[in-house]
Amino acid sequence: MPWFLIVPSVLGVLLVLGGVAAIRNDWILPFQRRRVHRTRLFGWAQLVMAVAFASQAAGQLLGEGEARFVLGVVALFALLGGLVLATVAQRPSPDR
């Protein structure tokens, strides 16, 4: 299996594990605890970024064509959406 399939797949699995842990148990990695104020939103951000990496890996399996382009665009917008959610999760909530 080539590296351009292994790297997004491993990153996607790690993001799914972290996202599920943040949503279910309000648990995030220790080095992120100081900055993240909304753990569940951060978990959803991780799940959206995992979708981005999964669509990137799926796009690499397809041949040249329109479907590969569409999956690349989905990966781009999902990654940007996940980054926006992660940034919002690092801001304090308005009631604090």
Side-chain angles (χ1 to χ4, degrees):
M1 187 176 267
W3 64 271
F4 55 84
L5 289 176
I6 293 173
V7 172
S9 301
V10 169
L11 288 175
V13 168
L14 291 174
L15 284 170
V16 165
L17 293 175
V20 169
I23 292 170
R24 287 194 69 193
N25 302 331
D26 287 335
W27 184 87
I28 56 175
L29 292 171
F31 66 88
Q32 295 172 327
R33 290 182 186 153
R34 182 180 302 167
R35 290 183 301 216
V36 176
H37 296 283
R38 303 177 195 167
T39 55
R40 292 190 182 196
L41 183 62
F42 192 75
W44 283 108
Q46 288 181 326
L47 290 179
V48 170
M49 287 190 278
V51 168
F53 285 117
S55 65
Q56 180 184 9
Q60 293 296 326
L61 292 174
L62 296 176
E64 296 294 326
E66 189 174 314
R68 186 174 184 176
F69 174 74
V70 169
L71 282 177
V73 171
V74 167
L76 173 72
F77 284 120
L79 187 60
L80 288 174
L83 288 174
V84 167
L85 286 176
T87 302
V88 171
Q90 292 179 7
R91 296 183 53 88
S93 60
D95 59 343
R96 281 188 144 191

